[in-house]
Amino acid sequence: MTTLSIYHRPQISQPMQQLTTFDDIASLLASAGIQLEHWQTNAPTADANSEAILHQHRAEIERLKQQEGYTSADVISLTPEHAERKTLREKFLQEHTHSEDEVRFFVRGSGTFFVPMGDQVFQLTCEAGDLLRVPANTPHWFDCGEYPDFVAIRIFTNPEGWVGHFTGRETFH
Ligand SMILES: [Fe+2]
């Protein structure tokens, strides 16, 4: 289930607000400039390759490219057996920005994004079918969990320029 918890920073022990209704979450995020959509998706078969996954969602990807000027898309997946899972998780857990939007569509599995907004932090757990667009230069971090297990489409303006700029601020998860 897609969920949004809002924490007061730095007092993070109890959320100030928790939302579990998709439309409520999407409209609250929209008021903060973050786009959340839900797309139809079917869980990919075990042998589905990136091309097949991109092909299944080509219409929605094309729409976003037209709307926002994105130029390319690829597929990222992480499994609980991934040799680098701990290192990758630690990297994603550091607060960072990008000079372009972070656009993710969850094809399978789930992941949790954290986006600070003033003295609050939005904790958004996305599941299969969720498309999230975090605007360029918005600080955020991501938790894929101790045993990550997801497949996601990434959509870019310029994949070469898509690097994280780390803020060094303290995070939680
Ligand atoms: Fe990011």
Side-chain angles (χ1 to χ4, degrees), residues 39 41-44 48-57 61 72-79 92 102-113 126-132 142-144 148-156 162:
W39 299 356
T41 191
N42 299 315
N49 59 23
S50 297
E51 285 70 32
I53 290 169
L54 291 170
H55 185 76
Q56 187 194 348
H57 300 288
I61 293 168
S72 59
D74 69 8
V75 176
I76 182 175
S77 63
L78 269 183
T79 65
F92 298 151
E102 178 155 320
V103 188
R104 296 287 181 274
F105 174 69
F106 282 82
V107 178
R108 192 175 65 71
S110 64
T112 299
F113 293 85
C126 291
E127 64 169 17
D130 289 348
L131 177 284
L132 178 68
F142 175 72
D143 190 12
C144 55
D149 192 12
F150 69 87
V151 177
I153 294 174
R154 307 187 294 183
I155 304 174
F156 302 100
W162 195 82

Side-chain angles (χ1 to χ4, degrees), residues 92 94-98 100-104 113 134 138-142 162-166:
F92 298 151
Q94 296 174 56
E95 187 182 86
H96 62 277
T97 62
H98 307 280
E100 64 172 82
D101 297 354
E102 178 155 320
V103 188
R104 296 287 181 274
F113 293 85
V134 178
T138 304
H140 62 277
W141 66 95
F142 175 72
W162 195 82
V163 290
H165 305 286
F166 294 94

